[in-house]
Amino acid sequence: MTRVGVIGCGFFAGNHLNAWKQLAGEGVELVAVCDMDAGKARAAAEAFGIAGVYGDGAAMLAAEKLDLVDIVTQVRSHKPLVELCLNAGVPTIVQKPFALSLDDCVAMRDLSARVGVPLAVHENFRFQAPLQLAKRILDSGEIGQANWARINFRTAHDIYTGQPYLRTEEKLVINDLGVHVLDVARFFLGEARHISAETQHRRTDIAGEDTATMLVRHEFGAVSVVECTYEARRLPDLFPQVLLELEGTRGSVVVKANYEVVVTADGAARTITAEPDVQPWMQQPWNVVQDSVVATCAHILKAYRAGEMPGVSAADNVKTIALCEAAYEAAEREVAVRPRG
């Protein structure tokens, strides 16, 4: 049995709590929750039948014998909480974005290596059902070697009501959303050689940029166009779907609206529907994200149990954060920038 504790009971944490409950059949026991807001912690404990309720992470770690901690808090709290858990010897997952600075991400990655305790980032977009299907098709060789992609997430969904702190973030859409789609670009095409970017501040009542259009040259010659915005005024609004066009030497995979996947290979095309799972706790249109949360948790759990590093390890996610940092620098300097590291 894997005993799990969750730190953070706010906006997105319900998806993690439901995911761990769904994995009970895989030998997961959700034993403790923690939040500085005592009311949120109690409410989560009551809703999910959890015995341990804490207002302080150190107290939870001291009182509970945990096999895994899942940190689902705002980004500014990530580093001290990760350090707390790793120094306590507990394998840890931290919500994206990993941190607001690459230096903090590297420090957490290095601490994990130094103390020998695994650390993963809950980067879940790559685990969305249609993207997983597209990756399996690519890995099968059916469309040949991938050489170009367009990944986009364009919406006007109100993200600010549930997460009001986003209004004051001076670096917004690349850190909050671009981190996901740039990770998808890496997932399909490999590491980046350099990136150029144009950002826009289309909404006047928020502090940061709400739109980014990025061009990535990958190490083996492939190119990706990566788009993200919270200000796309269009109907239907496909939130929270990720659209993908992936071209290879023999064909292509196109993830279209409503999980329709069109595969072209050697001059023939077929269409597959890659619907995400729908559990009683899931809600439209969030179910594609909620299903990916379950898949991410399951992937990390399996890796940890096998003594392996998951695909979304701290070491892997540092590369995505480096790409986000480079995108901001590229937009400011109006040049292509090679990511650090």
Side-chain angles (χ1 to χ4, degrees), residues 154 160 166-174 197-213 228-233 328 331:
R154 308 189 70 86
Y160 306 104
L166 292 177
R167 292 180 179 274
T168 60
E169 293 291 344
E170 294 184 357
K171 291 183 176 180
L172 174 59
V173 81
I174 294 176
E198 296 290 342
T199 59
Q200 296 172 281
H201 195 154
R202 296 156 70 180
R203 181 167 176 155
T204 59
D205 62 342
I206 61 171
E209 87 288 353
D210 51 45
T211 302
T213 306
C228 54
T229 184
Y230 288 132
E231 286 298 309
R233 304 295 171 177
Y328 278 116

PDB file of all heavy atoms in Angstrom, residues 154 160 166-174 197-213 228-233 328 331:
ATOM      1  N   ARG A 154      -5.831  27.857 -27.346  1.00  0.00           N
ATOM      2  CA  ARG A 154      -6.389  29.202 -27.504  1.00  0.00           C
ATOM      3  C   ARG A 154      -7.793  29.217 -26.901  1.00  0.00           C
ATOM      4  O   ARG A 154      -8.653  28.426 -27.300  1.00  0.00           O
ATOM      5  CB  ARG A 154      -6.414  29.623 -28.974  1.00  0.00           C
ATOM      6  CG  ARG A 154      -5.068  29.464 -29.686  1.00  0.00           C
ATOM      7  CD  ARG A 154      -5.062  30.099 -31.077  1.00  0.00           C
ATOM      8  NE  ARG A 154      -5.103  31.552 -30.978  1.00  0.00           N
ATOM      9  CZ  ARG A 154      -4.026  32.307 -30.835  1.00  0.00           C
ATOM     10  NH1 ARG A 154      -2.820  31.763 -30.770  1.00  0.00           N
ATOM     11  NH2 ARG A 154      -4.135  33.625 -30.758  1.00  0.00           N
ATOM     12  N   TYR A 160      -9.520  33.596 -14.151  1.00  0.00           N
ATOM     13  CA  TYR A 160      -9.189  34.516 -13.073  1.00  0.00           C
ATOM     14  C   TYR A 160     -10.122  34.396 -11.867  1.00  0.00           C
ATOM     15  O   TYR A 160      -9.729  34.701 -10.747  1.00  0.00           O
ATOM     16  CB  TYR A 160      -9.191  35.954 -13.591  1.00  0.00           C
ATOM     17  CG  TYR A 160      -8.290  36.119 -14.799  1.00  0.00           C
ATOM     18  CD1 TYR A 160      -8.833  36.229 -16.085  1.00  0.00           C
ATOM     19  CD2 TYR A 160      -6.904  36.136 -14.669  1.00  0.00           C
ATOM     20  CE1 TYR A 160      -8.019  36.369 -17.190  1.00  0.00           C
ATOM     21  CE2 TYR A 160      -6.088  36.275 -15.773  1.00  0.00           C
ATOM     22  CZ  TYR A 160      -6.652  36.386 -17.041  1.00  0.00           C
ATOM     23  OH  TYR A 160      -5.834  36.508 -18.135  1.00  0.00           O
ATOM     24  N   LEU A 166      -3.719  35.145 -10.440  1.00  0.00           N
ATOM     25  CA  LEU A 166      -3.148  35.243 -11.783  1.00  0.00           C
ATOM     26  C   LEU A 166      -3.261  36.657 -12.359  1.00  0.00           C
ATOM     27  O   LEU A 166      -2.479  37.043 -13.229  1.00  0.00           O
ATOM     28  CB  LEU A 166      -3.818  34.237 -12.725  1.00  0.00           C
ATOM     29  CG  LEU A 166      -3.543  32.758 -12.435  1.00  0.00           C
ATOM     30  CD1 LEU A 166      -4.337  31.877 -13.390  1.00  0.00           C
ATOM     31  CD2 LEU A 166      -2.057  32.436 -12.514  1.00  0.00           C
ATOM     32  N   ARG A 167      -4.212  37.415 -11.872  1.00  0.00           N
ATOM     33  CA  ARG A 167      -4.360  38.792 -12.366  1.00  0.00           C
ATOM     34  C   ARG A 167      -3.119  39.641 -12.102  1.00  0.00           C
ATOM     35  O   ARG A 167      -2.848  40.592 -12.841  1.00  0.00           O
ATOM     36  CB  ARG A 167      -5.567  39.466 -11.695  1.00  0.00           C
ATOM     37  CG  ARG A 167      -6.919  38.902 -12.078  1.00  0.00           C
ATOM     38  CD  ARG A 167      -8.025  39.650 -11.345  1.00  0.00           C
ATOM     39  NE  ARG A 167      -9.342  39.166 -11.706  1.00  0.00           N
ATOM     40  CZ  ARG A 167     -10.038  39.589 -12.758  1.00  0.00           C
ATOM     41  NH1 ARG A 167      -9.526  40.534 -13.542  1.00  0.00           N
ATOM     42  NH2 ARG A 167     -11.224  39.095 -13.020  1.00  0.00           N
ATOM     43  N   THR A 168      -2.389  39.326 -11.060  1.00  0.00           N
ATOM     44  CA  THR A 168      -1.262  40.165 -10.656  1.00  0.00           C
ATOM     45  C   THR A 168       0.092  39.597 -11.070  1.00  0.00           C
ATOM     46  O   THR A 168       1.123  40.199 -10.773  1.00  0.00           O
ATOM     47  CB  THR A 168      -1.277  40.373  -9.131  1.00  0.00           C
ATOM     48  OG1 THR A 168      -1.185  39.101  -8.481  1.00  0.00           O
ATOM     49  CG2 THR A 168      -2.560  41.067  -8.693  1.00  0.00           C
ATOM     50  N   GLU A 169       0.089  38.451 -11.744  1.00  0.00           N
ATOM     51  CA  GLU A 169       1.359  37.868 -12.185  1.00  0.00           C
ATOM     52  C   GLU A 169       1.926  38.683 -13.348  1.00  0.00           C
ATOM     53  O   GLU A 169       1.281  38.827 -14.388  1.00  0.00           O
ATOM     54  CB  GLU A 169       1.167  36.414 -12.620  1.00  0.00           C
ATOM     55  CG  GLU A 169       0.787  35.469 -11.507  1.00  0.00           C
ATOM     56  CD  GLU A 169       1.920  35.233 -10.517  1.00  0.00           C
ATOM     57  OE1 GLU A 169       3.085  35.546 -10.843  1.00  0.00           O
ATOM     58  OE2 GLU A 169       1.630  34.731  -9.413  1.00  0.00           O
ATOM     59  N   GLU A 170       3.142  39.203 -13.192  1.00  0.00           N
ATOM     60  CA  GLU A 170       3.748  40.002 -14.253  1.00  0.00           C
ATOM     61  C   GLU A 170       4.219  39.151 -15.417  1.00  0.00           C
ATOM     62  O   GLU A 170       4.363  39.654 -16.536  1.00  0.00           O
ATOM     63  CB  GLU A 170       4.902  40.824 -13.678  1.00  0.00           C
ATOM     64  CG  GLU A 170       4.430  41.876 -12.680  1.00  0.00           C
ATOM     65  CD  GLU A 170       5.552  42.756 -12.180  1.00  0.00           C
ATOM     66  OE1 GLU A 170       6.720  42.514 -12.555  1.00  0.00           O
ATOM     67  OE2 GLU A 170       5.254  43.692 -11.409  1.00  0.00           O
ATOM     68  N   LYS A 171       4.492  37.893 -15.161  1.00  0.00           N
ATOM     69  CA  LYS A 171       4.762  36.923 -16.221  1.00  0.00           C
ATOM     70  C   LYS A 171       3.656  35.874 -16.136  1.00  0.00           C
ATOM     71  O   LYS A 171       3.640  35.054 -15.219  1.00  0.00           O
ATOM     72  CB  LYS A 171       6.136  36.284 -16.044  1.00  0.00           C
ATOM     73  CG  LYS A 171       7.288  37.258 -16.285  1.00  0.00           C
ATOM     74  CD  LYS A 171       8.634  36.553 -16.157  1.00  0.00           C
ATOM     75  CE  LYS A 171       9.775  37.489 -16.496  1.00  0.00           C
ATOM     76  NZ  LYS A 171      11.093  36.819 -16.376  1.00  0.00           N
ATOM     77  N   LEU A 172       2.752  35.911 -17.096  1.00  0.00           N
ATOM     78  CA  LEU A 172       1.526  35.116 -16.938  1.00  0.00           C
ATOM     79  C   LEU A 172       1.445  33.925 -17.877  1.00  0.00           C
ATOM     80  O   LEU A 172       1.639  32.784 -17.470  1.00  0.00           O
ATOM     81  CB  LEU A 172       0.296  36.016 -17.111  1.00  0.00           C
ATOM     82  CG  LEU A 172      -1.063  35.297 -17.109  1.00  0.00           C
ATOM     83  CD1 LEU A 172      -1.284  34.545 -15.801  1.00  0.00           C
ATOM     84  CD2 LEU A 172      -2.187  36.289 -17.353  1.00  0.00           C
ATOM     85  N   VAL A 173       1.140  34.182 -19.150  1.00  0.00           N
ATOM     86  CA  VAL A 173       0.667  33.077 -19.980  1.00  0.00           C
ATOM     87  C   VAL A 173       1.763  32.062 -20.291  1.00  0.00           C
ATOM     88  O   VAL A 173       1.492  30.863 -20.374  1.00  0.00           O
ATOM     89  CB  VAL A 173      -0.011  33.590 -21.265  1.00  0.00           C
ATOM     90  CG1 VAL A 173       0.996  33.963 -22.352  1.00  0.00           C
ATOM     91  CG2 VAL A 173      -0.997  32.551 -21.795  1.00  0.00           C
ATOM     92  N   ILE A 174       3.005  32.493 -20.458  1.00  0.00           N
ATOM     93  CA  ILE A 174       4.064  31.518 -20.726  1.00  0.00           C
ATOM     94  C   ILE A 174       4.304  30.658 -19.494  1.00  0.00           C
ATOM     95  O   ILE A 174       4.422  29.424 -19.592  1.00  0.00           O
ATOM     96  CB  ILE A 174       5.355  32.205 -21.190  1.00  0.00           C
ATOM     97  CG1 ILE A 174       5.142  32.862 -22.559  1.00  0.00           C
ATOM     98  CG2 ILE A 174       6.503  31.193 -21.278  1.00  0.00           C
ATOM     99  CD1 ILE A 174       6.343  33.650 -23.064  1.00  0.00           C
ATOM    100  N   ALA A 197      10.080  34.390 -29.757  1.00  0.00           N
ATOM    101  CA  ALA A 197       8.741  34.546 -29.177  1.00  0.00           C
ATOM    102  C   ALA A 197       8.243  35.967 -29.350  1.00  0.00           C
ATOM    103  O   ALA A 197       9.021  36.930 -29.301  1.00  0.00           O
ATOM    104  CB  ALA A 197       8.759  34.184 -27.691  1.00  0.00           C
ATOM    105  N   GLU A 198       6.940  36.067 -29.526  1.00  0.00           N
ATOM    106  CA  GLU A 198       6.231  37.348 -29.490  1.00  0.00           C
ATOM    107  C   GLU A 198       5.146  37.233 -28.428  1.00  0.00           C
ATOM    108  O   GLU A 198       4.338  36.293 -28.454  1.00  0.00           O
ATOM    109  CB  GLU A 198       5.605  37.680 -30.841  1.00  0.00           C
ATOM    110  CG  GLU A 198       6.600  37.878 -31.974  1.00  0.00           C
ATOM    111  CD  GLU A 198       7.402  39.157 -31.826  1.00  0.00           C
ATOM    112  OE1 GLU A 198       6.971  40.056 -31.064  1.00  0.00           O
ATOM    113  OE2 GLU A 198       8.469  39.262 -32.461  1.00  0.00           O
ATOM    114  N   THR A 199       5.136  38.160 -27.481  1.00  0.00           N
ATOM    115  CA  THR A 199       4.091  38.174 -26.465  1.00  0.00           C
ATOM    116  C   THR A 199       3.193  39.384 -26.675  1.00  0.00           C
ATOM    117  O   THR A 199       3.601  40.395 -27.249  1.00  0.00           O
ATOM    118  CB  THR A 199       4.684  38.218 -25.047  1.00  0.00           C
ATOM    119  OG1 THR A 199       5.495  39.387 -24.908  1.00  0.00           O
ATOM    120  CG2 THR A 199       5.516  36.987 -24.773  1.00  0.00           C
ATOM    121  N   GLN A 200       1.941  39.261 -26.208  1.00  0.00           N
ATOM    122  CA  GLN A 200       0.969  40.350 -26.302  1.00  0.00           C
ATOM    123  C   GLN A 200       0.238  40.496 -24.976  1.00  0.00           C
ATOM    124  O   GLN A 200      -0.008  39.505 -24.278  1.00  0.00           O
ATOM    125  CB  GLN A 200      -0.051  40.073 -27.422  1.00  0.00           C
ATOM    126  CG  GLN A 200       0.556  40.035 -28.817  1.00  0.00           C
ATOM    127  CD  GLN A 200      -0.466  39.572 -29.841  1.00  0.00           C
ATOM    128  OE1 GLN A 200      -0.735  38.382 -29.959  1.00  0.00           O
ATOM    129  NE2 GLN A 200      -1.039  40.516 -30.567  1.00  0.00           N
ATOM    130  N   HIS A 201      -0.103  41.728 -24.662  1.00  0.00           N
ATOM    131  CA  HIS A 201      -0.859  42.065 -23.462  1.00  0.00           C
ATOM    132  C   HIS A 201      -2.186  42.635 -23.948  1.00  0.00           C
ATOM    133  O   HIS A 201      -2.373  43.841 -24.030  1.00  0.00           O
ATOM    134  CB  HIS A 201      -0.074  43.099 -22.649  1.00  0.00           C
ATOM    135  CG  HIS A 201      -0.567  43.266 -21.256  1.00  0.00           C
ATOM    136  ND1 HIS A 201       0.241  43.695 -20.230  1.00  0.00           N
ATOM    137  CD2 HIS A 201      -1.789  43.066 -20.688  1.00  0.00           C
ATOM    138  CE1 HIS A 201      -0.453  43.767 -19.114  1.00  0.00           C
ATOM    139  NE2 HIS A 201      -1.686  43.394 -19.364  1.00  0.00           N
ATOM    140  N   ARG A 202      -3.130  41.733 -24.280  1.00  0.00           N
ATOM    141  CA  ARG A 202      -4.359  42.138 -24.951  1.00  0.00           C
ATOM    142  C   ARG A 202      -5.452  42.554 -23.966  1.00  0.00           C
ATOM    143  O   ARG A 202      -6.352  43.294 -24.309  1.00  0.00           O
ATOM    144  CB  ARG A 202      -4.844  40.997 -25.851  1.00  0.00           C
ATOM    145  CG  ARG A 202      -3.858  40.699 -26.994  1.00  0.00           C
ATOM    146  CD  ARG A 202      -3.969  39.277 -27.544  1.00  0.00           C
ATOM    147  NE  ARG A 202      -5.197  39.068 -28.281  1.00  0.00           N
ATOM    148  CZ  ARG A 202      -5.516  37.895 -28.847  1.00  0.00           C
ATOM    149  NH1 ARG A 202      -4.695  36.857 -28.729  1.00  0.00           N
ATOM    150  NH2 ARG A 202      -6.648  37.770 -29.507  1.00  0.00           N
ATOM    151  N   ARG A 203      -5.356  42.065 -22.744  1.00  0.00           N
ATOM    152  CA  ARG A 203      -6.327  42.422 -21.716  1.00  0.00           C
ATOM    153  C   ARG A 203      -5.695  43.477 -20.810  1.00  0.00           C
ATOM    154  O   ARG A 203      -4.586  43.277 -20.291  1.00  0.00           O
ATOM    155  CB  ARG A 203      -6.725  41.182 -20.917  1.00  0.00           C
ATOM    156  CG  ARG A 203      -7.756  41.449 -19.840  1.00  0.00           C
ATOM    157  CD  ARG A 203      -8.329  40.152 -19.326  1.00  0.00           C
ATOM    158  NE  ARG A 203      -9.255  40.381 -18.222  1.00  0.00           N
ATOM    159  CZ  ARG A 203     -10.238  39.552 -17.884  1.00  0.00           C
ATOM    160  NH1 ARG A 203     -10.425  38.439 -18.569  1.00  0.00           N
ATOM    161  NH2 ARG A 203     -11.032  39.832 -16.871  1.00  0.00           N
ATOM    162  N   THR A 204      -6.390  44.550 -20.566  1.00  0.00           N
ATOM    163  CA  THR A 204      -5.783  45.696 -19.886  1.00  0.00           C
ATOM    164  C   THR A 204      -5.877  45.658 -18.369  1.00  0.00           C
ATOM    165  O   THR A 204      -5.214  46.439 -17.689  1.00  0.00           O
ATOM    166  CB  THR A 204      -6.421  47.002 -20.383  1.00  0.00           C
ATOM    167  OG1 THR A 204      -7.837  46.960 -20.123  1.00  0.00           O
ATOM    168  CG2 THR A 204      -6.186  47.189 -21.877  1.00  0.00           C
ATOM    169  N   ASP A 205      -6.694  44.760 -17.806  1.00  0.00           N
ATOM    170  CA  ASP A 205      -6.891  44.760 -16.352  1.00  0.00           C
ATOM    171  C   ASP A 205      -6.095  43.668 -15.642  1.00  0.00           C
ATOM    172  O   ASP A 205      -6.407  43.308 -14.504  1.00  0.00           O
ATOM    173  CB  ASP A 205      -8.373  44.633 -16.020  1.00  0.00           C
ATOM    174  CG  ASP A 205      -8.983  43.326 -16.514  1.00  0.00           C
ATOM    175  OD1 ASP A 205      -8.372  42.672 -17.397  1.00  0.00           O
ATOM    176  OD2 ASP A 205     -10.066  42.948 -16.022  1.00  0.00           O
ATOM    177  N   ILE A 206      -5.081  43.132 -16.295  1.00  0.00           N
ATOM    178  CA  ILE A 206      -4.188  42.163 -15.665  1.00  0.00           C
ATOM    179  C   ILE A 206      -2.757  42.648 -15.810  1.00  0.00           C
ATOM    180  O   ILE A 206      -2.452  43.496 -16.648  1.00  0.00           O
ATOM    181  CB  ILE A 206      -4.341  40.754 -16.269  1.00  0.00           C
ATOM    182  CG1 ILE A 206      -3.998  40.758 -17.763  1.00  0.00           C
ATOM    183  CG2 ILE A 206      -5.739  40.207 -16.041  1.00  0.00           C
ATOM    184  CD1 ILE A 206      -3.928  39.377 -18.374  1.00  0.00           C
ATOM    185  N   ALA A 207      -1.862  42.092 -14.997  1.00  0.00           N
ATOM    186  CA  ALA A 207      -0.487  42.593 -14.978  1.00  0.00           C
ATOM    187  C   ALA A 207       0.389  42.021 -16.086  1.00  0.00           C
ATOM    188  O   ALA A 207       1.287  42.703 -16.580  1.00  0.00           O
ATOM    189  CB  ALA A 207       0.143  42.293 -13.616  1.00  0.00           C
ATOM    190  N   GLY A 208       0.154  40.779 -16.459  1.00  0.00           N
ATOM    191  CA  GLY A 208       1.089  40.086 -17.345  1.00  0.00           C
ATOM    192  C   GLY A 208       0.580  39.885 -18.754  1.00  0.00           C
ATOM    193  O   GLY A 208      -0.547  40.245 -19.100  1.00  0.00           O
ATOM    194  N   GLU A 209       1.432  39.271 -19.553  1.00  0.00           N
ATOM    195  CA  GLU A 209       1.068  38.948 -20.940  1.00  0.00           C
ATOM    196  C   GLU A 209       0.025  37.830 -20.952  1.00  0.00           C
ATOM    197  O   GLU A 209       0.070  36.925 -20.118  1.00  0.00           O
ATOM    198  CB  GLU A 209       2.316  38.550 -21.740  1.00  0.00           C
ATOM    199  CG  GLU A 209       2.725  37.090 -21.700  1.00  0.00           C
ATOM    200  CD  GLU A 209       3.315  36.597 -20.378  1.00  0.00           C
ATOM    201  OE1 GLU A 209       3.548  37.423 -19.470  1.00  0.00           O
ATOM    202  OE2 GLU A 209       3.530  35.377 -20.250  1.00  0.00           O
ATOM    203  N   ASP A 210      -0.932  37.934 -21.880  1.00  0.00           N
ATOM    204  CA  ASP A 210      -1.980  36.908 -21.969  1.00  0.00           C
ATOM    205  C   ASP A 210      -1.898  36.087 -23.244  1.00  0.00           C
ATOM    206  O   ASP A 210      -2.683  35.162 -23.431  1.00  0.00           O
ATOM    207  CB  ASP A 210      -3.373  37.531 -21.839  1.00  0.00           C
ATOM    208  CG  ASP A 210      -3.580  38.703 -22.779  1.00  0.00           C
ATOM    209  OD1 ASP A 210      -3.211  38.618 -23.958  1.00  0.00           O
ATOM    210  OD2 ASP A 210      -4.117  39.736 -22.311  1.00  0.00           O
ATOM    211  N   THR A 211      -0.949  36.424 -24.135  1.00  0.00           N
ATOM    212  CA  THR A 211      -0.823  35.736 -25.409  1.00  0.00           C
ATOM    213  C   THR A 211       0.652  35.563 -25.756  1.00  0.00           C
ATOM    214  O   THR A 211       1.440  36.499 -25.570  1.00  0.00           O
ATOM    215  CB  THR A 211      -1.514  36.532 -26.534  1.00  0.00           C
ATOM    216  OG1 THR A 211      -2.896  36.708 -26.198  1.00  0.00           O
ATOM    217  CG2 THR A 211      -1.426  35.810 -27.870  1.00  0.00           C
ATOM    218  N   ALA A 212       1.017  34.387 -26.235  1.00  0.00           N
ATOM    219  CA  ALA A 212       2.395  34.150 -26.686  1.00  0.00           C
ATOM    220  C   ALA A 212       2.375  33.288 -27.937  1.00  0.00           C
ATOM    221  O   ALA A 212       1.643  32.296 -28.016  1.00  0.00           O
ATOM    222  CB  ALA A 212       3.215  33.473 -25.596  1.00  0.00           C
ATOM    223  N   THR A 213       3.183  33.690 -28.903  1.00  0.00           N
ATOM    224  CA  THR A 213       3.366  32.933 -30.139  1.00  0.00           C
ATOM    225  C   THR A 213       4.860  32.638 -30.257  1.00  0.00           C
ATOM    226  O   THR A 213       5.679  33.571 -30.324  1.00  0.00           O
ATOM    227  CB  THR A 213       2.890  33.737 -31.359  1.00  0.00           C
ATOM    228  OG1 THR A 213       1.538  34.163 -31.136  1.00  0.00           O
ATOM    229  CG2 THR A 213       2.955  32.897 -32.623  1.00  0.00           C
ATOM    230  N   CYS A 228      -0.197  30.020 -27.340  1.00  0.00           N
ATOM    231  CA  CYS A 228      -1.073  29.947 -26.169  1.00  0.00           C
ATOM    232  C   CYS A 228      -1.650  31.325 -25.891  1.00  0.00           C
ATOM    233  O   CYS A 228      -0.953  32.334 -26.012  1.00  0.00           O
ATOM    234  CB  CYS A 228      -0.330  29.415 -24.948  1.00  0.00           C
ATOM    235  SG  CYS A 228       1.186  30.279 -24.515  1.00  0.00           S
ATOM    236  N   THR A 229      -2.927  31.365 -25.547  1.00  0.00           N
ATOM    237  CA  THR A 229      -3.576  32.625 -25.208  1.00  0.00           C
ATOM    238  C   THR A 229      -4.787  32.388 -24.328  1.00  0.00           C
ATOM    239  O   THR A 229      -5.452  31.343 -24.439  1.00  0.00           O
ATOM    240  CB  THR A 229      -4.000  33.406 -26.464  1.00  0.00           C
ATOM    241  OG1 THR A 229      -4.552  34.664 -26.052  1.00  0.00           O
ATOM    242  CG2 THR A 229      -5.050  32.657 -27.279  1.00  0.00           C
ATOM    243  N   TYR A 230      -5.071  33.362 -23.473  1.00  0.00           N
ATOM    244  CA  TYR A 230      -6.310  33.400 -22.706  1.00  0.00           C
ATOM    245  C   TYR A 230      -7.267  34.450 -23.266  1.00  0.00           C
ATOM    246  O   TYR A 230      -8.243  34.801 -22.610  1.00  0.00           O
ATOM    247  CB  TYR A 230      -6.012  33.708 -21.237  1.00  0.00           C
ATOM    248  CG  TYR A 230      -5.370  32.569 -20.479  1.00  0.00           C
ATOM    249  CD1 TYR A 230      -4.238  32.779 -19.690  1.00  0.00           C
ATOM    250  CD2 TYR A 230      -5.897  31.276 -20.523  1.00  0.00           C
ATOM    251  CE1 TYR A 230      -3.654  31.739 -18.971  1.00  0.00           C
ATOM    252  CE2 TYR A 230      -5.324  30.235 -19.819  1.00  0.00           C
ATOM    253  CZ  TYR A 230      -4.202  30.472 -19.043  1.00  0.00           C
ATOM    254  OH  TYR A 230      -3.631  29.444 -18.335  1.00  0.00           O
ATOM    255  N   GLU A 231      -6.984  34.949 -24.472  1.00  0.00           N
ATOM    256  CA  GLU A 231      -7.799  36.023 -25.041  1.00  0.00           C
ATOM    257  C   GLU A 231      -8.273  35.711 -26.462  1.00  0.00           C
ATOM    258  O   GLU A 231      -8.396  36.607 -27.292  1.00  0.00           O
ATOM    259  CB  GLU A 231      -7.015  37.334 -25.022  1.00  0.00           C
ATOM    260  CG  GLU A 231      -6.894  37.956 -23.647  1.00  0.00           C
ATOM    261  CD  GLU A 231      -8.257  38.315 -23.060  1.00  0.00           C
ATOM    262  OE1 GLU A 231      -9.050  38.994 -23.749  1.00  0.00           O
ATOM    263  OE2 GLU A 231      -8.527  37.911 -21.912  1.00  0.00           O
ATOM    264  N   ALA A 232      -8.560  34.449 -26.749  1.00  0.00           N
ATOM    265  CA  ALA A 232      -9.046  34.057 -28.078  1.00  0.00           C
ATOM    266  C   ALA A 232     -10.567  34.123 -28.084  1.00  0.00           C
ATOM    267  O   ALA A 232     -11.235  33.262 -27.526  1.00  0.00           O
ATOM    268  CB  ALA A 232      -8.569  32.656 -28.430  1.00  0.00           C
ATOM    269  N   ARG A 233     -11.126  35.134 -28.708  1.00  0.00           N
ATOM    270  CA  ARG A 233     -12.580  35.332 -28.734  1.00  0.00           C
ATOM    271  C   ARG A 233     -13.160  34.592 -29.925  1.00  0.00           C
ATOM    272  O   ARG A 233     -13.232  35.110 -31.037  1.00  0.00           O
ATOM    273  CB  ARG A 233     -12.903  36.825 -28.818  1.00  0.00           C
ATOM    274  CG  ARG A 233     -12.277  37.652 -27.712  1.00  0.00           C
ATOM    275  CD  ARG A 233     -12.836  37.284 -26.342  1.00  0.00           C
ATOM    276  NE  ARG A 233     -12.107  37.924 -25.262  1.00  0.00           N
ATOM    277  CZ  ARG A 233     -12.430  37.819 -23.992  1.00  0.00           C
ATOM    278  NH1 ARG A 233     -13.485  37.099 -23.650  1.00  0.00           N
ATOM    279  NH2 ARG A 233     -11.708  38.410 -23.063  1.00  0.00           N
ATOM    280  N   TYR A 328      10.741  34.169 -22.690  1.00  0.00           N
ATOM    281  CA  TYR A 328      10.609  35.536 -22.168  1.00  0.00           C
ATOM    282  C   TYR A 328      11.784  36.410 -22.615  1.00  0.00           C
ATOM    283  O   TYR A 328      11.601  37.562 -23.020  1.00  0.00           O
ATOM    284  CB  TYR A 328      10.530  35.512 -20.636  1.00  0.00           C
ATOM    285  CG  TYR A 328       9.152  35.199 -20.099  1.00  0.00           C
ATOM    286  CD1 TYR A 328       8.913  34.047 -19.353  1.00  0.00           C
ATOM    287  CD2 TYR A 328       8.082  36.064 -20.330  1.00  0.00           C
ATOM    288  CE1 TYR A 328       7.649  33.765 -18.853  1.00  0.00           C
ATOM    289  CE2 TYR A 328       6.815  35.782 -19.828  1.00  0.00           C
ATOM    290  CZ  TYR A 328       6.602  34.632 -19.089  1.00  0.00           C
ATOM    291  OH  TYR A 328       5.355  34.368 -18.608  1.00  0.00           O
ATOM    292  N   ALA A 331      11.411  37.249 -26.337  1.00  0.00           N
ATOM    293  CA  ALA A 331      10.401  38.283 -26.586  1.00  0.00           C
ATOM    294  C   ALA A 331      10.931  39.662 -26.215  1.00  0.00           C
ATOM    295  O   ALA A 331      10.685  40.651 -26.922  1.00  0.00           O
ATOM    296  CB  ALA A 331       9.138  37.971 -25.789  1.00  0.00           C
TER     297      ALA A 331
END
